[in-house]
Amino acid sequence: MLAKPRGYCAGVDRAVQTVEEALKLYGAPVYVRKQIVHNKHVVSTLEARGAIFVEENYEVPEGATVVFSAHGVAPEVHEQARERNLKAIDATCPLVTKVHHEAKRFAAEDYDILLIGHEGHEEVIGTSGEAPAHIQLVDGPDDVDNVVVRDPAKVVWLSQTTLSVDETMETVARLKTRLPLLQSPPSDDICYATSNRQHVIKEIAPECDVVIVVGSTNSSNSVRLVEVALGAGARAGHLVDYASEIQDAWLEGATTVGVSSGASVPDELVMEVLAHLAERGFGEVTEFTTAEERLTFSLPQELRKDMKAAAAANAAG
């Protein structure tokens, strides 16, 4: 049973395309701060084309081009780029940017902000950097008892965009028992793609002996898909980067296998998994669709401007 929607979301598509277009326009190398998206295959493919991945801005030569990853960065990262005279292209997913704006707005109104997310995740670091004095991290339902606020009447929760919808709502429910006046974000923070992929996995999981999710171990939304599958009744669940990682022992005695992929996974990797499964007797594929995704995001403004100028120069040349 093949889940749909799966794979690339609009934010990932935009981020990967940003690096590809920057390489075409400016030539290699183009530096990328952190993994552009959390996927091994995507990173190695872009490296082969001339992208150089670094952890921090100081590793980028002065005056060079740097792309910020889809997960978003704190304001100080933009500041560092200006100090080093870097040409910065911000490939932050617009849905993450929305959470950054919410954080700034509530901080300006002097709220305590409870950010539900995973400690150390790049997106959480970026969002927290918008208002460090106002934001405290709540890492799942068990972390609720550690929350301390100044004024229980001025508290709002926000969340990382790639979390488990159910676990987030459980965290919120527990927070509300302690803080009955807790406000919710003006619109849902968990992104549409994360919710859609979890929803379809929930639908097919009860019928699956094993669910295979294609995705990398540092991809929060991919890891959540395996958890959601198991929580919804799949008898086993595994995360793989490539078809070659599938162990035959996982398939022993299985009659139905569910397949999906995280939001940063190119579909070619899923097709390789299907081919691998077909060779082992799972040749009949039913695609199970719960939503159609049509959202697209335009490329970052800085890049569009340069692409336009280059096109005009070519036309004149």
Side-chain angles (χ1 to χ4, degrees), residues 23-307:
L23 283 163
K24 269 189 234 167
L25 191 59
Y26 311 121
V30 164
Y31 292 83
V32 185
R33 184 185 175 279
K34 308 283 187 192
Q35 291 193 354
I36 184 71
V37 296
H38 286 157
N39 184 265
K40 254 190 201 171
H41 179 77
V42 171
V43 168
S44 57
T45 305
L46 291 171
E47 274 176 336
R49 292 185 189 174
I52 296 176
F53 289 87
V54 297
E55 282 301 302
E56 296 298 344
N57 284 338
Y58 66 76
E59 298 169 63
V60 181
E62 282 214 24
T65 298
V66 63
V67 179
F68 296 147
S69 80
H71 310 104
V73 296
E76 66 195 43
V77 175
H78 287 281
E79 193 46 54
Q80 292 160 358
R82 279 191 289 274
E83 283 166 12
R84 291 184 61 76
N85 193 25
L86 302 179
K87 180 180 183 61
I89 296 171
D90 190 353
T92 301
C93 171
L95 299 177
V96 173
T97 302
K98 174 179 82 76
V99 181
H100 281 230
H101 288 324
E102 289 170 355
K104 284 190 283 200
R105 184 161 74 79
F106 284 111
E109 294 170 18
D110 203 30
Y111 273 76
D112 277 334
I113 299 164
L114 306 179
L115 178 61
I116 300 170
H118 295 302
E119 187 159 7
H121 190 279
E122 279 153 49
E123 190 189 318
V124 163
I125 294 167
T127 303
S128 300
E130 293 288 0
H134 289 266
I135 293 176
Q136 55 184 307
L137 182 65
V138 183
D139 197 339
D142 297 339
D143 203 13
V144 168
D145 293 342
N146 303 320
V147 168
V148 181
V149 299
R150 293 168 302 158
D151 176 358
K154 278 198 90 167
V155 192
V156 64
W157 68 271
L158 301 176
S159 93
Q160 184 182 326
T161 61
T162 52
L163 298 180
S164 150
V165 178
D166 291 345
E167 190 185 320
T168 303
M169 291 337 286
E170 188 190 330
T171 306
V172 171
R174 280 179 64 172
L175 283 168
K176 282 188 171 164
T177 59
R178 284 199 55 202
L179 300 161
L181 299 176
L182 178 70
Q183 294 190 34
S184 298
S187 62
D188 195 4
D189 283 352
I190 292 180
C191 93
Y192 75 95
T194 300
S195 315
N196 286 347
R197 279 150 195 67
Q198 288 176 16
H199 179 67
V200 65
I201 272 285
K202 267 189 194 167
E203 294 284 317
I204 65 174
E207 296 176 49
C208 296
D209 300 301
V210 58
V211 168
I212 291 170
V213 174
V214 187
S216 294
T217 50
N218 65 337
S219 161
S220 176
N221 77 85
S222 302
V223 172
R224 298 293 86 73
L225 282 176
V226 178
E227 292 171 3
V228 168
L230 293 169
R235 284 173 275 303
H238 302 280
L239 184 66
V240 299
D241 266 298
Y242 297 103
S244 57
E245 295 169 20
I246 296 170
Q247 295 175 26
D248 287 344
W250 299 348
L251 306 173
E252 274 170 27
T255 54
T256 304
V257 179
V259 176
S260 186
S261 60
S264 42
V265 177
D267 216 41
E268 66 198 79
L269 299 183
V270 177
M271 295 306 133
E272 285 167 15
V273 165
L274 294 181
H276 180 98
L277 291 171
E279 285 166 14
R280 284 152 185 79
F282 297 90
E284 190 187 320
V285 179
T286 307
E287 191 167 53
F288 193 91
T289 308
T290 53
E292 291 292 339
E293 292 180 348
R294 295 198 175 83
L295 186 66
T296 55
F297 294 129
S298 55
L299 291 170
Q301 204 178 338
E302 315 87 37
L303 184 62
R304 288 205 315 269
K305 205 171 77 184
D306 287 356
M307 287 167 75

